[in-house]
Amino acid sequence: PYDDLGQDELVDDGYLVIVGRLIGRHGAFLHDIRCKTHTNVFIKRHPETNTLKICAIEGTQPDIDAALKMIRQKFPLRRFPELTLEKVTFVKNSCLPINPENLQLHLVEGVNNDVLLSSLITAGHFFLQMPMHISYQSLYRLACIMNNVYNTQESPPLPDPQPDVVCVAPAHGGWYRAQILSVDEEAHTSHIKFLDYGGFLTVENSSLRQIRGDFLLLPFQAVECALANVVPAGGGEEWSDEATQFVQLITGQQTLQAQVYEYTESGMPLVYLYCTQFYQSPSDPSGYETQVVLLNQELVSRGYAELIVDTSQDDDGQTTATESS
């Protein structure tokens, strides 16, 4: 299991003889550690000084402990007091705003995209994930590593929360990549959007953490979308709870197909969302049949939504009304 995956970085006094002995002839000692402890061990430059080196060890915590034991056996503390094996979880990090759009996955236009509904805000506003994208398979591993890293007291807080900053935030017992949307200076809170699973939350600024650079290598997985060509029934702006519950029921536990129709002024995709509906077979009471339905139209048919009416003028200057479909 990946639950204990993490990375320990150990400060090594930069004497070349120690570094060379740690690596071994043609990398023999590092190779021996990797084979016996199932860890990834490598030497890298210290980001702040040329007099120190860092030995980074990646793996589960028991495997990391086994690797440390092998290193200490080769370098006894009495003979090598300068080899501290001091844990350095983080290096100096930048808190500059990052444009999530540059790291965001996008739905492909002109095709039906296989998607999962990962967060439902209202019946017409939700977040989609793309399980067929090659990067999706790495999301679980990233979540496990982040939980291991940020469930430590060494994880550095975000010193100055600002809008658009990408950071790490806690929710439901885990740690997730998030973007700050707004900051309440008086309440010392931030309103954030979760970038991999979707959804919004207001959190204490003190709970936010800096994000490591290597945690930005995976594209953000959640695509924020809205339903195309439908509005809440009755002319209101808010979707009813009944409509939202219906969408949750009909889309749950299945792969959906999303087709991009157009975009809002802010760039959010407006989509047609297709799902599979199960119903009892009229010819076989013990069996079920399936039917692919367009969720946009299904909300209209059940009275939860209305089609958007497009008003335009014809050649004679008369106003005509048509329903978008």
Side-chain angles (χ1 to χ4, degrees), residues 72-102:
R72 181 50 74 197
Q73 288 175 346
K74 187 174 182 67
F75 298 93
L77 186 59
R78 180 178 299 180
R79 291 182 54 197
F80 299 92
E82 64 273 30
L83 187 64
T84 64
L85 300 188
E86 173 189 352
K87 181 177 179 180
V88 181
T89 306
F90 288 89
V91 296
K92 188 175 181 180
N93 208 338
S94 171
C95 299
L96 295 176
I98 299 170
N99 184 3
E101 186 68 18
N102 297 333

Side-chain angles (χ1 to χ4, degrees), residues 158-208:
L158 192 66
D160 184 26
Q162 296 291 332
D164 297 329
V165 165
V166 173
C167 59
V168 178
H172 306 296
W175 293 88
Y176 303 94
R177 300 190 295 180
Q179 179 191 12
I180 297 177
L181 301 180
S182 62
V183 178
D184 188 329
E185 300 290 351
E186 294 184 358
H188 303 289
T189 60
S190 294
H191 190 58
I192 63 174
K193 176 173 70 174
F194 292 102
L195 296 169
D196 292 309
Y197 298 90
F200 305 93
L201 191 65
T202 298
V203 299
E204 298 286 340
N205 288 340
S206 59
S207 69
L208 299 175

Side-chain angles (χ1 to χ4, degrees), residues 237-257:
E237 296 183 358
E238 301 292 333
W239 290 92
S240 67
D241 292 339
E242 292 78 12
T244 302
Q245 291 170 4
F246 171 73
V247 172
Q248 185 174 26
L249 178 65
I250 198 174
T251 60
Q253 305 298 319
Q254 65 170 293
T255 300
L256 313 170
Q257 282 74 46

Side-chain angles (χ1 to χ4, degrees), residues 104-169:
Q104 176 68 57
L105 290 184
H106 297 279
L107 298 175
V108 180
E109 297 182 21
V111 301
N112 285 342
N113 297 265
D114 288 336
V115 296
L116 299 173
L117 197 155
S118 59
S119 180
L120 181 63
I121 309 303
T122 68
H125 181 198
F126 41 80
F127 289 82
L128 302 176
Q129 293 176 327
M130 304 170 66
M132 302 306 293
H133 193 276
I134 189 172
S135 65
Y136 181 78
Q137 303 304 320
S138 300
L139 180 59
Y140 174 73
R141 186 173 187 271
L142 173 66
C144 292
I145 295 176
M146 288 180 59
N147 287 339
N148 184 70
V149 168
Y150 288 99
N151 281 328
T152 64
Q153 295 181 351
E154 293 92 345
S155 59
L158 192 66
D160 184 26
Q162 296 291 332
D164 297 329
V165 165
V166 173
C167 59
V168 178

